Amino acid sequence: MTQALTVRVTATEGPYRPVPVEIPPGTTRIDVAMAYAKAGDCIIDLGLMDPRATAFPSPAGFRGWSGGARDAFFVATDDATPGYVPGPIPAGTWTILLGLYRVPPSGAEVALTIRLDDAPRPAWSPEPAADARHPAPGWYRGDLHCHTRHSDARGGPELLHEAARQAGLRFLAVTDHNTTTQRRYFAPRSSRDLVFIRGEEVTTAEGHANVFGAEGWIDFRLTAPADAHLLAEAVRRAGGLLSINHDKPPIPWRHELPAVDCMEAWQSHWFAGNWISLARYDERLREGRRISLIGGSDWHQPAALAPSGPLGLGRPATALWLPELSERAVLRALRAGHGYVTEAPDGPHLAVTAGGVPMGGTHSGGGDWTVEAEIRGAAGDRLVWVDAGGTVAEQKIPAEDWTARLTLPSPDRFLRAEIVAAASRPRLEAEFLQTLDGRSLPAGVTRGDIAAQELRRALGNPIYVG
């Protein structure tokens, strides 16, 4: 059975156009194809909801999202296109969801072809998830932002798994856009050597946010600035953490800012405009918010394994102190801020305490602070101490393995530390520019920006003033 529909969309009707489709009993497979004139700047996304779906935020009914990465998909009782959920196909009103990402002022016509099939097919059942843990306390490094072909990357989960193993990562959050179907591969394959964290990147035209550790899918259909608060509530009900992503051009966070657990203050190479994200992070700390600082590569796995380089997986890496390596321990450390971000899986180490209080904690004593920073792998660079008013102290790092100790007046609201490239800068800047190989600089950055900006190699989480 085949249905053909033509839908006219406009630039002013909102971010989503639901298109209802009746699915009869006995259907075992749904195929949907979309066509529209892509001339100019027209981009229309594509997804599917089943009859269980409700208004935002819906706890159920999600059957897939491919954004602008695909113009066709299928969902069947036994299989589905990457990004879509296989399983039972109940009769009733389903919804093809068109995302009106970019529509010209004159509007656009979207042609939809729906094919239904009732051939007998087996039922799909997922592999059981692994409860992986490595019972050894210590510092572990991972990547909290990456993608597979389940959203807009070309590479499959198997390739990303191998890339993470080769990079030496110990935990990985695979955050495909608006879908969780990548978990079909990763959840059963979590191991004591590489723990996978449940992830989803909630992606809208007004900003992106990662969800970590949530049970199930989180609805992304925000249509009003205040919907961000409903998003945060839905994440908490699902047992997850919410993190604002890459708050800088070209996709800053324009929704209202809800109560969030983390903020991605460093995405991809430092020279991809991350000084903007870090300034916004500090501004939120000055407002009195307590938000854990994290980083992620936003790596989109290509169709083949590629050399890591300065723009690869795990660049930057988030380092966390964990009592054991497990998803539960990673989530607790992220919420608590017990960690730092470093330029690569083998980047500099930066562990800070103040009067014995670790990063993410609260120093309750008045008067001067006695602070300590353990640093490895940054000889000749600078250790910079920052509070709400800006830089309060700087120290040259004299050796590859060094512990800085000093006494500071009680800081303004918080204190954090960062490693800034000095001796290492010529090498690191040359590696970055060589990797670009003539391509444009990312995020609208110019050569003048690079010359003017300091190059951070590691960022520590704040210790708060009690």
Side-chain angles (χ1 to χ4, degrees):
M1 177 179 173
T2 300
Q3 304 178 40
L5 301 172
T6 300
V7 179
R8 182 156 191 83
V9 298
T10 66
T12 59
E13 64 181 279
Y16 304 105
R17 164 68 76 87
V19 180
V21 178
E22 293 301 319
I23 304 300
T27 302
T28 60
R29 174 168 170 149
I30 303 170
D31 285 77
V32 175
M34 174 179 69
Y36 62 94
K38 298 185 179 181
D41 200 25
C42 188
I43 300 176
I44 296 175
D45 297 337
L46 186 61
L48 184 68
M49 310 288 281
D50 72 23
R52 297 170 299 161
T54 63
F56 173 85
S58 179
F62 173 74
R63 296 306 291 263
W65 182 256
S66 45
R70 293 184 176 86
D71 289 341
F73 65 82
F74 80 91
V75 169
T77 58
D78 61 338
D79 200 2
T81 299
Y84 290 79
V85 180
I89 298 181
T93 303
W94 289 53
T95 301
I96 298 172
L97 191 62
L98 303 181
L100 309 186
Y101 184 65
R102 290 178 188 163
V103 178
S106 58
E109 286 196 347
V110 182
L112 295 170
T113 303
I114 304 102
R115 296 199 317 272
L116 307 179
D117 188 73
D118 60 1
R121 289 181 171 85
W124 174 79
S125 59
E127 296 180 66
D131 182 18
R133 61 187 63 199
H134 176 56
W139 285 100
Y140 293 91
R141 296 185 178 193
D143 196 333
L144 295 170
H145 190 170
C146 55
H147 299 276
T148 73
R149 68 184 179 197
H150 283 254
S151 57
D152 59 344
R154 294 184 178 273
E158 303 85 353
L159 286 175
L160 183 60
H161 188 166
E162 178 60 19
R165 191 192 65 79
Q166 289 186 11
L169 300 175
R170 299 301 303 277
F171 60 88
L172 189 73
V174 185
T175 54
D176 278 315
H177 297 283
N178 296 337
T179 188
T180 59
T181 60
Q182 69 277 7
R183 298 181 192 175
R184 288 156 50 185
Y185 172 86
F186 289 108
R189 290 166 180 80
S190 198
S191 71
R192 58 182 291 153
D193 298 316
L194 179 57
V195 169
F196 294 109
I197 311 302
R198 289 169 292 175
E200 176 188 348
E201 185 169 14
V202 173
T203 303
T204 80
E206 302 300 315
H208 297 186
N210 273 345
V211 176
F212 303 119
E215 183 64 35
W217 168 79
I218 299 297
D219 197 345
F220 59 87
R221 298 172 297 160
L222 287 74
T223 58
D227 282 350
H229 301 285
L230 298 178
L231 168 68
E233 292 169 7
V235 171
R236 278 163 182 72
R237 283 195 299 270
L241 306 181
L242 183 62
S243 175
I244 302 301
N245 285 352
H246 46 62
D247 194 2
K248 60 183 181 179
I251 313 175
W253 184 259
R254 298 187 185 94
H255 300 284
E256 293 180 9
L257 185 66
V260 297
D261 302 285
C262 308
M263 178 175 166
E264 186 185 74
W266 186 346
Q267 172 247 4
S268 188
H269 195 278
W270 180 258
F271 282 145
N274 286 292
W275 51 88
I276 299 172
S277 300
L278 182 60
R280 289 177 177 166
Y281 175 75
D282 281 343
E283 180 181 353
R284 286 160 184 165
L285 295 186
R286 287 193 293 271
E287 293 170 353
R289 294 177 180 267
R290 296 194 175 193
I291 304 174
S292 297
L293 182 152
I294 64 172
S297 67
D298 203 358
W299 175 246
H300 285 61
Q301 177 61 47
L305 288 173
S308 58
L311 300 174
L313 186 67
R315 295 171 183 266
T318 297
L320 301 173
W321 195 94
L322 305 175
E324 65 171 19
L325 176 60
S326 65
E327 184 189 49
R328 177 178 295 181
V330 168
L331 295 173
R332 287 178 173 173
L334 287 175
R335 181 182 286 111
H338 290 337
Y340 62 90
V341 181
T342 183
E343 66 190 11
D346 59 354
H349 170 70
L350 174 63
V352 176
T353 58
V357 177
M359 292 177 289
T362 299
H363 188 293
S364 58
D368 292 345
W369 283 26
T370 300
V371 297
E372 183 173 291
E374 297 177 358
I375 298 170
R376 291 194 294 272
D381 293 329
R382 293 185 294 128
L383 175 64
V384 179
W385 299 88
V386 178
D387 73 359
T391 299
V392 296
E394 293 191 26
Q395 297 169 278
K396 182 178 179 180
I397 301 172
E400 288 296 296
D401 192 344
W402 178 62
T403 299
R405 297 181 179 89
L406 75 163
T407 300
L408 295 170
S410 180
D412 183 2
R413 282 166 275 189
F414 65 88
L415 182 71
R416 63 175 184 81
E418 56 190 43
I419 297 174
V420 176
S424 63
R425 175 160 182 148
R427 171 180 61 84
L428 295 171
E429 185 174 326
E431 288 177 357
F432 171 67
L433 295 175
Q434 183 178 9
T435 299
L436 289 177
D437 193 24
R439 291 173 292 166
S440 298
L441 293 167
V445 172
T446 67
R447 290 295 183 102
D449 292 328
I450 291 179
Q453 291 296 328
E454 292 187 314
L455 172 57
R456 269 80 167 190
R457 301 192 67 192
L459 300 174
N461 258 285
I463 298 172
Y464 300 96
V465 178

